[in-house]
Amino acid sequence: MAVATSWADINGLLTVARHWLWTSDEKKLLHGTSWANAHSIVREGFDHRTCERAFYGAGVYFACAACKSHQYTCHQHKKCCECNHTRTLIIARVALGDAYIATETRKNERRPPLRSDFSGMFDSIMVKPGTIK
């Protein structure tokens, strides 16, 4: 953690923070889960290591559409269903950063792909609505 000890340090930290805020591409998105998992998320935060279904790589999944997030709220049936289990949608502020736009599934991937200019990996993966390979 950075500690500012002078006005110059504070201004430097603010410059970094402003840059991060402008480049983070923060969105308000939904995460569908069970009631029990929601309690765990509140206590411990989102954890990509608990990912079970991963069409676009291991990670924590969010959606802008409630109907998409709802598909992940029943952990008994592992699909969208109409059973009487309690369901939970979490509204989260998500920093996407420099997102890769997926054009196909990435089931066995553990990390986002490299940028085409080899300047490092993308920060996240985004999938547009519609059919995908």
Side-chain angles (χ1 to χ4, degrees):
M1 181 169 88
V3 178
T5 58
S6 70
W7 283 111
D9 290 343
I10 292 170
N11 284 330
L13 289 173
L14 288 174
T15 300
V16 170
R18 268 190 228 106
H19 172 75
W20 183 84
L21 286 172
W22 286 108
T23 60
S24 67
D25 196 16
E26 184 178 280
K27 305 284 184 200
K28 288 186 179 124
L29 299 172
L30 301 168
H31 178 79
T33 191
S34 67
W35 184 250
N37 283 351
H39 279 285
S40 175
I41 291 167
V42 168
R43 283 190 316 269
E44 301 159 18
F46 290 105
D47 187 347
H48 68 279
R49 297 170 296 182
T50 63
C51 178
E52 294 176 7
R53 296 179 275 173
F55 284 108
Y56 303 99
V60 179
Y61 283 66
F62 297 91
C64 57
C67 60
K68 185 62 173 175
S69 293
H70 178 264
Q71 294 174 357
Y72 299 90
T73 59
C74 182
H75 285 271
Q76 180 176 350
H77 297 111
K78 305 288 186 195
K79 63 179 182 173
C80 188
C81 67
E82 296 182 17
C83 69
N84 290 329
H85 289 92
T86 303
R87 289 133 192 291
T88 307
L89 290 181
I90 296 172
I91 302 170
R93 290 173 47 194
V94 180
L96 298 174
D98 183 15
Y100 170 77
I101 307 300
T103 56
E104 60 189 10
T105 59
R106 304 175 49 82
K107 290 185 180 182
N108 298 317
E109 301 294 325
R110 304 286 304 159
R111 302 176 355 172
L114 286 172
R115 293 180 181 92
S116 59
D117 64 0
F118 300 104
S119 63
M121 286 183 294
F122 284 93
D123 300 313
S124 62
I125 297 174
M126 187 166 57
V127 181
K128 293 186 177 181
T131 305
I132 198 157
K133 300 182 217 173

